């Protein structure tokens, strides 16, 4: 009996100590931020010399049929289903590309590297990737470059020298500005909000959150950040976490920001099931299909995203241009099929464009 | 002895068959380059599987090896960057901590008599949690070039970690098959009480084995960090399932008392060959997962049938 | 070991001590739940609000239901590490049938039947071919997971008819999953205690050869146990599928570990032969409570998993100490 009590007290003591131990986790990383201006002044494009990698001894692929593999962070979520669609659309349009998507079922760098390695061995001509970790993926991508394979990234970058080009959906600070401005519009300048993100270790999410913090501090200083919770890429967990946040803060919580295409619909679901539509705003990154029921029900006013189908589409076109040799280091723009001319920024990044806001009026026009 | 080798023979035949079929499906499969590369990629799982063979032969199991790998990786980064120790010291200290983690597993199992499944289920969460907490999601990068030799370099054309794996495998195989320690391991798995009464130091043996599992997992962590040049707290997730599948496929009985290093090696080779060969023949990731699952069930089924026919 | 425990039980004098001795683990778990409610409730009263209680109980009931089946399997001396994948498959199957225009009862029934049949086959492999259950279910895990992704590509299922959404209904303000959990647990507990088959599960798990000598048919028992487990997994899958408006056609991560841990923490011994389903239901509730409590207590997100691991360890150690004192 005594031992029982001892064990119990130990457990309790542990709980309370850890509770007071750590500094609050915002979900952001610790790299420098560069918030945009509070008004609609567009970001100044920084001209930098080309800093991408180069394949060694790539054969002349101009005009010839090429095999391309796309290895996203993971397969089985709406967002990457959409980028795959874009890639396949572009491949069909180009006519001389054989493309397929293959990847791990969890967002795990160990497995992603193995997938890439296998495809390098099988002798693909081009690789498209969205990295689970920018540094860890570099060695295997450099190996690809050394074998003369063309490498282009999208959505989540690697270190610049491990790939030739990176198609960036939008600048980190641009996304941060869109999200925070939309949030402020819905919850007011002194509202309190919480964030639902994927995991601690996802670089993109961490960057966005850090930028959001910097921008909010400058332009919406009275908005109160309550807490950030992690929810992996799991629907049920995201829902549970969002619900717990709603229960924990009660009336104080005015808005939830979802940082992944899984977290946002799950948060909207949590708000719907808690019968708080209209009282708790849900803002975030998501695919339109997942959000249609909530936007139609007026639970969610706006969904911010770039168009992932366009992102995949652009990436495929960039890869083709690189393989053909029409896109070279030092270029300032590249033609990407029906998207027209895309601008080159930061040396070796290609900007897709401004983030897109889906609302009740336009959401039916999209199917991804 | 011949009974022991029955499963390994079936497995060997299966492996050769698989290799042949895969080689026919893609001409890139059976090249020296590719085979050596596969050896490099399977080294981490391979090292841990050596220790896991001992663990499962004693009738136990260790689900926390993946978490120990992640924890060691994080500690390596923390000791080097945050504490500022020279890299070789940091590596040594991290490996020591990983071995300690394995030792703690052994303590919980022997001293507190917690069944291994539950004990390592709890430490799976605990060690991973420590990795997350200590790292606070920061990755450590920027290691000196010489460090990458371990994970990315070659000795006489053979990947460094593969050399290590082969040496470790031979050592493990000799220990298990030919030394008193190995015999004690089998005895414990066959009948723990009887082993105890015949003078075998059951607890000490188990402690050594679980510590070895932690040790090898931490070596695997160092190799992995060297291979990908960074540390993450989620490294090694799912490693335990890969390792256990390889060991069990290799003929080690989950009830204990039976199993060989050769079997484990064959099991690992078969799985790695499938993962690589199927991908080269155009099968996507999900298809490969299904095939491996089926192969596992079929192989064990075949072995069970042959064992029964022999008159078990 | 079971024999030693059983004989010492006969030696304990008062019936209260005997009750505590038999059901000690279940009581420990229950006490911990109550303790958490008290501590966290005083820290933040919103923890005890109706909506939060509903979230904890209703949102996690499916884990408790799955744990019932898992407990039966473990009591019989086996294990199933593929239950997470199975639930993912069932949920996807049910959702796909529902949106394809089939009557709602078809969408409910077919996946459950599938689960029962597949699990019974696994049981047959284990019982008659003598393949260790961990091996078969390890293989099953891969087959189901890979098969699911292959078949669906991870596409999300939306727009399911409201008549299908079991988990969303409320009776007297409490979500239906709670009723499922309570009723199924009670039924299973009574069945295990008082029915012949229930007692044979304990016997087979405790000592298979002794059970055979006593006239039972262990092989049939094991197949039956796995079939029952398939039933509970199927029901859990339905509850899981209808919780949200969307079904992600992937395997929920770590579900099998959670379910197994719930059974084990709830008092089911991994050695087989002892334990109750009431314990596993309590443990499932405990996990859900801990998950919510840690957020309410502002425990830094970085340390969540270590705290969970420590609590599992603490509970298990306490149980081991308790068992040692009673032998």
């Amino acid at each position: 009996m005594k031992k029982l009590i001892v064990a119990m007290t130990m457990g309790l003591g542990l709980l309370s100590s850890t509770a007071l131990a750590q500094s609050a986790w915002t979900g952001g990383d610790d790299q420098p931020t560069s918030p945009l201006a509070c008004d609609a002044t567009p970001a100044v494009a920084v001209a930098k010399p080309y800093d991408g990698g180069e394949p060694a001894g790539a054969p002349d692929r101009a005009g010839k049929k090429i095999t391309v593999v796309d290895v996203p962070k993971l397969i089985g979520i709406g967002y990457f289903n959409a980028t795959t669609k874009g890639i396949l659309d572009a491949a069909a349009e180009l006519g001389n590309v054989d493309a397929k998507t293959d990847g791990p079922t969890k967002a795990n760098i160990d497995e992603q590297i193995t997938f890439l390695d296998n495809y390098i061995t099988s002798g693909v001509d081009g690789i498209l990737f969205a990295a689970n970790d920018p540094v860890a993926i570099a060695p295997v991508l450099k190996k690809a470059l050394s074998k003369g394979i063309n490498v282009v990234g999208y959505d989540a970058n690697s270190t610049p020298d491990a790939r030739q080009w990176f198609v960036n959906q939008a600048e980190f600070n641009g996304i941060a500005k869109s999200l925070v401005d939309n949030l402020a519009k819905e919850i007011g300048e002194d509202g309190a909000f919480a964030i639902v993100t994927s995991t601690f270790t996802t670089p993109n999410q961490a960057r966005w959150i850090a930028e959001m913090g910097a921008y909010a501090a400058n332009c919406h200083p009275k908005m109160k950040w309550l807490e950030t919770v992690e929810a992996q890429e799991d629907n049920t967990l995201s829902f549970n976490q969002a619900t717990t946040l709603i229960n924990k803060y009660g009336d104080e919580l005015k808005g939830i920001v979802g940082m992944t295409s899984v977290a946002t619909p799950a948060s909207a679901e949590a708000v719907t099931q808690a019968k708080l539509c209209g009282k708790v705003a849900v803002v975030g990154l998501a695919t339109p299909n997942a959000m249609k029921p909530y936007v139609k029900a007026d639970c969610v006013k706006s969904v911010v995203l770039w168009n992932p189908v366009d992102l995949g589409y652009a990436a495929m076109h960039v890869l083709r241009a690189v393989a053909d040799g029409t896109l070279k280091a030092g270029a300032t723009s590249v033609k990407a099929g029906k998207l027209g001319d895309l601008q080159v920024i930061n040396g070796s990044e290609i900007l897709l464009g401004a983030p897109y806001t889906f609302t009740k009026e336009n959401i039916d026009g999209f199917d991804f | 002895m011949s009974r022991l080798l029955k499963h390994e023979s079936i497995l060997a035949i299966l492996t050769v068959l698989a290799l042949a079929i895969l080689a026919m499906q893609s001409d890139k499969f059976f090249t020296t380059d590719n085979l050596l590369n596969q050896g490099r990629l399977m080294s981490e799982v391979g090292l841990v599987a050596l220790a896991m063979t001992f663990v499962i032969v004693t009738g136990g199991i260790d689900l926390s090896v993946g978490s120990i790998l992640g924890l060691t990786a994080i500690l390596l980064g923390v000791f080097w960057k945050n504490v500022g120790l020279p890299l070789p010291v940091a590596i040594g200290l991290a490996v020591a901590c990983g071995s300690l983690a394995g030792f703690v597993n052994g303590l919980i199992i022997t001293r507190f008599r917690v069944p291994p499944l539950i004990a390592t289920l709890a430490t799976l969460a605990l060690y991973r949690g420590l990795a997350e907490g200590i790292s606070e999601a920061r990755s450590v990068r920027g290691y000196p070039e010489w460090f990458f030799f371990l994970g990315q370099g070659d000795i006489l054309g053979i990947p460094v970690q593969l050399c290590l794996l082969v040496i470790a495998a031979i050592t493990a195989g000799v220990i298990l098959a030919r030394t008193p320690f190995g015999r004690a391991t089998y005895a414990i798995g066959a009948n723990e009480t009887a082993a105890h009464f015949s003078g075998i130091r059951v607890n000490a043996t188990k402690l050594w084995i679980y510590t070895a599992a932690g040790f090898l997992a931490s070596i695997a962590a160092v190799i992995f960090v060297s291979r990908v040049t960074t540390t993450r707290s989620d490294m090694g997730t799912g490693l335990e399932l890969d390792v256990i599948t390889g060991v069990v496929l290799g003929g080690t009985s989950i009830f204990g008392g039976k199993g060989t290093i050769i079997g484990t090696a064959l099991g690992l080779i078969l799985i790695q060959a499938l993962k690589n060969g199927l991908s080269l023949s155009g099968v996507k990731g999900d298809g490969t997962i299904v095939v491996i699952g089926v192969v596992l069930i079929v192989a064990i089924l075949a072995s069970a049938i042959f064992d029964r026919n022999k008159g078990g | 070991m079971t024999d030693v425990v059983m004989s010492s039980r006969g030696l304990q004098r008062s019936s209260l001590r005997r009750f505590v001795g038999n059901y000690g683990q279940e009581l420990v778990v229950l006490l911990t739940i109550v303790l958490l409610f008290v501590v966290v409730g005083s820290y933040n009263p919103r923890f005890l609000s109706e909506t939060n209680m509903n979230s904890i109980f209703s949102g996690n009931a499916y884990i408790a239901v799955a744990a019932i089946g898992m407990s039966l399997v473990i009591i019989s001396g086996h294990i199933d590490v593929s239950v997470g994948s199975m639930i993912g498959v069932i949920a996807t199957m049910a959702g796909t049938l529902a949106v394809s225009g089939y009557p709602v009862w078809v969408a409910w029934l077919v996946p459950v039947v599938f689960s029962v049949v597949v699990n019974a086959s696994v049981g047959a492999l284990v019982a008659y071919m003598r393949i260790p259950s961990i091996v078969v279910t390890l293989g099953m895990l891969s087959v189901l997971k890979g098969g699911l992704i292959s078949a669906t590509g991870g596409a999300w299922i939306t727009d399911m008819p409201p008549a299908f959404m079991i988990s969303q209904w409320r009776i007297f303000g409490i979500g239906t999953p709670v009723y499922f959990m309570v009723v199924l647990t009670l039924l299973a507990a009574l069945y295990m205690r008082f029915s012949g088959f229930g007692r044979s599960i304990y016997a087979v798990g405790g000592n298979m050869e002794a059970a055979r000598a006593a006239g039972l048919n262990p092989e049939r028992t094991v197949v039956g146990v796995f079939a029952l487990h398939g039933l509970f997994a199927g029901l859990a899958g339905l509850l899981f599928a209808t919780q949200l408006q969307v079904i992600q056609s992937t395997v929920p991560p770590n579900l099998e570990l959670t379910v197994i841990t719930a059974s084990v923490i709830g008092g089911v011994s991994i050695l087989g032969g002892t334990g109750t389903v009431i314990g596993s239901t309590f443990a499932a509730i405990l996990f859900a409570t801990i998950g919510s409590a840690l957020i309410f207590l502002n425990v830094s997100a970085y340390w969540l998993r270590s705290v969970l691991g420590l609590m599992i360890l603490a509970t298990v150690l306490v149980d081991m100490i308790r068992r040692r004192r009673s032998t």
Side-chain angles (χ1 to χ4, degrees), chain C residues 127-149:
Chain C
Y128 290 105
M129 300 307 300
R130 304 224 183 285
I131 306 178
S133 52
I134 193 170
V135 174
V136 184
T137 54
L138 204 58
M140 252 351 247
L141 185 157
S142 293
V143 171
L144 288 170
K145 182 157 91 162
L148 184 60
I149 299 275

Side-chain angles (χ1 to χ4, degrees), chain B residues 73-90:
Chain B
I74 291 295
L75 285 175
L76 172 60
V78 165
F79 287 145
W80 177 63
K81 189 152 234 175
N82 300 35
V83 180
L85 298 170
L87 190 53
V89 178

Side-chain angles (χ1 to χ4, degrees), chain A residues 22 28 30 100-102 106 108-110 113 115 117-118 121-122 132-136 139 143 147 200-201, chain B residues 28 34 37 41 132 136-138 141 224 227-230 232-233 236-237 275-276 279-280 282 284-285:
Chain A
Q22 287 297 311
D30 52 359
K100 79 170 173 184
T101 300
D102 197 5
K106 298 191 300 219
N108 190 310
I109 189 68
D110 316 14
I113 292 176
F115 272 91
D117 199 276
N118 279 336
T121 312
S122 76
N132 275 306
D133 183 289
V135 175
K143 180 173 163 184
K147 304 237 167 174
F200 317 109
T201 43
Chain B
K28 306 232 171 41
N34 184 39
N37 193 33
L41 291 176
E132 286 172 1
E136 287 190 5
R138 310 267 179 267
R141 330 162 160 177
F224 191 53
R227 184 157 69 85
V228 301
T229 72
T230 184
R232 286 174 64 91
S233 59
T237 2
K275 278 191 185 167
N276 174 243
S279 173
L280 292 177
K284 297 217 292 191

Side-chain angles (χ1 to χ4, degrees), chain B residues 274 278 283 286-296, chain C residues 142-143:
Chain B
L274 282 173
L278 287 172
V283 177
D286 34 305
T288 311
I289 297 179
V290 175
V291 171
I292 292 185
V294 170
V295 165
L296 180 63
Chain C
S142 293
V143 171

Side-chain angles (χ1 to χ4, degrees), chain B residues 59-62 104-123 192 203 206 210, chain C residues 1 25 264-265 268-271 309 312-324:
Chain B
I61 199 164
D62 188 347
V104 169
N105 275 341
L107 256 172
I108 299 176
I109 292 170
T110 55
R111 181 88 176 73
F112 291 95
R113 303 224 168 281
V114 178
L117 185 71
I118 308 175
T120 55
L121 203 58
T123 50
E192 193 169 312
N203 281 356
K206 282 188 180 179
Y210 283 99
Chain C
M1 203 197 238
Q25 184 67 353
V264 163
I265 299 285
V268 173
S269 170
I270 208 74
L271 305 164
I312 298 176
L313 211 52
T315 320
V316 173
L317 286 175
V318 165
D319 181 45
M320 282 298 142
I321 296 173
R322 191 184 54 80
R323 278 181 200 254
R324 275 218 269 177

